[in-house]
């Protein structure tokens, strides 16, 4: 694959960023290896945590497609790529950070939960609640036999993952060619900046998880818990927001795991419209609308669980932009889990 070598100066960073002609908010952004990544700038999400990084407003770009492997183990975002999978959370985070060189090229990172939430909520508004389709039924959408993507080579007889973006515009977040593809199904995607620790909901504030220097390790001091009034406090502080054993938001928790529809998550606080719940809504940890289809929610209140979102090729009606699983540890490597590259400028 031929590398791009042209570079230009932008905001003091030696970085190639080129708009794609004819596709609104679409850009090609080149990493330190000279490979371009197809990205979509996230606009129309004012008031969400996604644009505030290290207390500064930033432009945010989301990988148009799920990450794929290219020559010599490099990873890239491009149409019809064979999507990467069987990569654990820490390795996915490292892969995305390694697209930077720490000086001339900065901003590449593993997509954050704040970014996923902003895309999903924006999509719901743009699509007026219409369900975005995807590979949730072995290279088809469970609602339509006509919508089909291209199975990855070697799996044509028993289709699983399809090639990135091959399902057509109905699988993009805004229903047209300029959108972000495969958020419903194909493979689950690791996102960072959110976790469940023994039932307690913990986040990296704002969109600070997008920083290359963000410490999202298990013992990081950057994790914060959330009080009912929206204050961010040390994990383990009394009165923080948690998932209880029934998958509802409370100030207490219990031990166990299970699943239910995301839209059925209930708030068991005195004020279901408190600042803490509003923050969880903006981070898509709790539903803020009733018409969220049948997207599923899984939780485990034992130990640390890292989020994967979207669903896979077998999830059918339960896959979708609002699907959230807080069930997996950071060391899990699974054929149903991949990741997406994002960028801040």
């Amino acid at each position: 694959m031929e590398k791009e070598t042209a570079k230009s100066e932008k905001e003091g960073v030696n970085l190639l960023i080129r708009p794609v002609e004819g596709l609104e908010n679409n850009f090609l952004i080149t990493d330190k290896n000279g490979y371009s990544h197809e990205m979509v700038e996230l606009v129309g999400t004012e008031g969400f945590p996604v644009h505030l990084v290290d207390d500064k407003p930033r432009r945010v770009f989301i990988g148009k497609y799920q990450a794929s492997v290219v020559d010599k183990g490099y990873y890239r975002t491009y149409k019809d790529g064979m999507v990467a999978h069987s990569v654990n959370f820490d390795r996915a985070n490292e892969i995305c950070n390694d697209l930077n060189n720490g000086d001339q090229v900065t901003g590449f990172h593993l997509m954050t939960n704040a970014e996923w939430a902003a895309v999903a909520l924006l999509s719901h508004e743009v699509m007026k609640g219409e369900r975005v389709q995807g590979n949730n039924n072995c290279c088809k959408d469970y609602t339509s036999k006509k919508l089909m993507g291209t199975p990855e080579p070697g799996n044509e007889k028993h289709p699983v993952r399809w090639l990135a973006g091959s399902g057509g515009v109905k699988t993009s977040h805004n229903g047209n060619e300029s959108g972000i593809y495969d958020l419903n199904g194909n493979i689950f995607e690791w996102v960072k900046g959110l976790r469940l620790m023994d039932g307690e909901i913990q986040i990296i504030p704002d969109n600070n998880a997008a920083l290359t220097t963000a410490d999202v390790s298990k013992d990081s001091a950057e994790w914060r818990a959330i009080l009912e009034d929206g204050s961010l406090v040390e994990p383990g502080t009394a009165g923080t927001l948690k998932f209880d054993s029934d998958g509802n938001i409370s100030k207490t928790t219990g031990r166990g795991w299970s699943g239910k529809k995301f839209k059925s998550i209930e708030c068991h606080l005195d004020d279901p419209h408190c600042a803490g719940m509003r923050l969880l809504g903006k981070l898509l940890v709790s539903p803020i609308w009733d018409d969220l289809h049948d997207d599923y929610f899984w939780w485990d209140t034992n130990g640390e669980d890292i989020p994967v979102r979207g669903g896979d090729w077998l999830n059918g009606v339960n896959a979708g932009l609002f699907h959230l699983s807080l069930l997996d540890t950071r060391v899990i490597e699974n054929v149903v889990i991949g990741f997406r590259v994002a960028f801040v400028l």
Side-chain angles (χ1 to χ4, degrees):
M1 187 173 296
E2 184 179 354
K3 295 185 180 182
E4 299 183 49
T5 56
K7 295 181 179 180
S8 63
E9 293 290 334
K10 187 172 183 67
E11 297 185 8
V13 177
N14 195 10
L15 167 73
L16 178 64
I17 173 170
R18 293 186 292 128
V20 178
E21 186 175 355
L23 292 180
E24 184 179 11
N25 301 326
N26 277 230
F27 295 84
L28 294 176
I29 304 179
T30 303
D31 64 30
K32 73 172 186 181
N33 302 307
Y35 290 110
S36 63
H37 298 253
E38 297 181 51
M39 298 258 174
V40 178
E41 184 169 11
L42 191 56
V43 297
T45 50
E46 291 76 13
F48 285 82
V50 65
H51 293 288
L52 194 62
V53 181
D54 201 20
D55 293 324
K56 299 175 184 177
R58 303 284 286 271
R59 295 173 67 186
V60 178
F61 303 79
I62 308 298
K64 192 175 179 71
Y65 309 105
Q66 294 166 331
S68 296
V69 183
V70 296
D71 300 343
K72 300 178 182 178
Y74 291 131
Y75 292 80
R76 186 170 173 246
T77 302
Y78 68 107
K79 189 175 183 349
D80 293 329
M82 287 186 62
V83 298
H85 59 84
S86 304
V87 178
N88 68 40
F89 171 76
D90 288 327
R91 178 59 182 147
N93 187 45
E94 179 183 42
I95 287 168
C96 296
N97 285 343
D98 282 350
L99 298 174
N100 304 295
N101 63 10
D103 180 19
Q104 294 177 327
V105 180
T106 61
F108 285 105
H109 61 276
L110 176 67
M111 188 178 186
T112 68
N113 181 72
E115 291 165 347
W116 181 286
V119 172
L121 295 171
L122 177 64
S123 173
H124 185 272
E125 292 189 359
V126 170
M127 299 291 288
K128 303 186 184 305
E130 181 181 348
R131 182 178 170 276
V132 173
Q133 296 184 315
N135 175 14
N136 50 56
N137 185 26
C138 300
C139 281
K140 299 186 293 292
D141 187 275
Y142 83 96
T143 65
S144 173
K145 294 182 180 179
K146 295 181 180 179
L147 189 146
M148 299 180 64
T150 304
E152 64 180 18
N155 289 319
E156 290 88 352
K157 290 185 178 181
H158 303 284
V160 288
R161 295 167 297 272
W162 67 25
L163 299 183
S166 64
V169 295
K170 288 188 176 182
T171 68
S172 78
H173 87 288
N174 61 5
N176 66 58
E177 192 179 353
S178 69
I180 301 165
Y181 286 74
D182 297 337
L183 295 162
N184 177 338
N186 207 32
I187 50 172
F188 284 98
E189 299 182 31
W190 291 115
V191 292
K192 66 175 180 173
L194 167 70
R195 71 174 180 178
L196 204 58
M197 178 62 85
D198 290 327
E200 184 178 62
I201 302 166
Q202 298 179 6
I203 64 171
I204 304 293
D206 298 322
N207 196 22
N208 290 347
L211 292 167
T212 304
T213 56
D215 183 359
V216 293
S217 65
K218 183 174 183 179
D219 298 323
S220 169
E222 295 185 33
W223 291 108
R224 290 291 180 269
I226 306 167
L227 292 178
E228 189 171 0
D229 66 3
S231 301
L232 301 184
V233 295
E234 291 287 333
T237 300
T240 58
L241 303 187
K242 303 172 178 68
F243 278 110
D244 63 22
S245 56
D246 294 320
N248 298 313
I249 295 170
S250 175
K251 293 182 182 179
T252 61
T253 189
R255 293 291 172 260
W257 69 273
S258 191
K260 62 182 182 180
K261 294 177 183 179
F262 180 80
K263 65 184 178 183
S264 71
I265 297 173
E266 298 177 357
C267 173
H268 288 174
L269 305 176
D270 293 336
D271 180 6
H273 304 293
C274 64
M277 287 301 299
R278 291 198 299 272
L279 175 58
L280 292 185
K282 288 183 176 182
L283 294 174
L284 212 58
V285 182
S286 68
I288 59 176
W289 295 301
D290 295 328
D291 56 337
L292 298 183
H293 313 290
D294 291 321
D295 300 18
Y296 224 63
F297 169 57
W298 294 94
W299 71 91
D300 183 357
T301 57
N302 294 290
E304 183 194 44
D305 294 285
I306 305 295
V308 294
R309 307 212 68 145
D312 64 28
W313 67 84
L314 288 173
N315 283 144
V317 65
N318 298 144
L321 277 68
F322 298 94
H323 188 123
L324 169 62
S325 176
L326 284 163
L327 202 64
D328 295 292
T329 65
R330 63 178 58 235
V331 298
I332 291 290
E333 297 179 1
N334 197 307
V335 294
V336 302
I337 304 177
F339 63 96
R340 190 179 301 257
V341 179
F343 186 86
V344 292
L345 181 62

